[in-house]
Amino acid sequence: MADAGLSDWRWSWDEALFHAVNGLGLGWLDSVFVAASSREFGAVALVGLLLALVARLRRAALLPVLQAVLALAVSDGVGARLLKPAFARLRPSYALGEAARVLSPAANVGSLPSLHAANAFAIATVVVLAWPRAGLVAVPVALLIAVSRVGVGVHWPSDVMAGGLYGAAVGVGVVLASRALVSRRAPPAPSTPRRDP
């Protein structure tokens, strides 16, 4: 049953791509989608990436870890409280009824943007900006989480695309803002006395 405040709007390519991913029906892939869509997977991925940052950057990891936590809070909070209500888009699991294979039920709230995708890309962006080589793990994990939301039947492909872009923008914004704040508060570097020849 559709929530009175949500509307069923989509693009033709959105529905076709949704059915292409959600309709695969491969048992092992369904299991991967369900696992990657779970809160537990997201928590383990977050902790793993942050621990890798600490192991790699040591004391210099403090700022990126704080940036990742802040990016997650902003991405999730703004997405849930402002963006989802503003777009008021019905999830495919409710819009399509039995035509959607729902492997991981989700509440009947706004579909756009996917906060799983947004949060994953917000964190991945912070991690990559702190340690670029970590992108070899962080970006594929974020992509897996995003695609899994289509696979389990609770988001349109455009939901996860928009979520990924939004989350990446939040990550970049948090990093740039925090770096500017830190550099403004840092004491000026001591000047080296000039020696005349």
Side-chain angles (χ1 to χ4, degrees):
M1 190 75 177
D3 183 282
L6 301 176
S7 58
D8 178 13
W9 56 275
R10 56 192 120 138
W11 294 277
S12 57
W13 65 266
D14 224 5
E15 187 170 348
L17 190 52
F18 171 84
H19 286 300
V21 175
N22 179 253
L24 287 171
L26 302 174
W28 66 271
L29 188 56
D30 287 347
S31 298
V32 170
F33 285 155
V34 170
S37 234
S38 70
R39 288 176 187 254
E40 294 80 9
F41 182 86
V44 168
L46 171 62
V47 171
L49 287 170
L50 296 185
L51 287 176
L53 273 183
V54 171
R56 174 68 177 173
L57 303 178
R58 309 239 178 235
R59 292 169 66 183
L62 178 61
L63 181 59
V65 167
L66 293 175
Q67 290 168 337
V69 171
L70 180 59
L72 174 60
V74 171
S75 170
D76 198 66
V78 172
R81 289 174 180 77
L82 296 178
L83 299 180
K84 279 181 178 281
F87 289 110
R89 186 186 203 187
L90 194 63
R91 290 182 185 273
S93 49
Y94 292 93
L96 298 174
E98 293 184 8
R101 293 184 327 116
V102 182
L103 307 177
S104 180
N108 191 12
V109 296
S111 184
L112 178 66
S114 162
L115 294 186
H116 276 70
N119 297 342
F121 274 94
I123 293 164
T125 300
V126 171
V127 169
V128 168
L129 290 174
W131 179 22
R133 289 190 64 187
L136 295 173
V137 173
V139 173
V141 166
L143 282 169
L144 174 60
I145 290 172
V147 172
S148 77
R149 301 304 284 165
V150 179
V152 299
V154 298
H155 278 292
W156 300 104
S158 57
D159 294 338
V160 300
M161 292 175 193
L165 291 173
Y166 158 63
V170 168
V172 169
V174 165
V175 168
L176 293 179
S178 59
R179 285 181 181 173
L181 183 63
V182 167
S183 66
R184 189 179 307 163
R185 290 185 168 217
S191 59
T192 307
R194 188 173 173 183
R195 295 182 181 175
D196 292 326

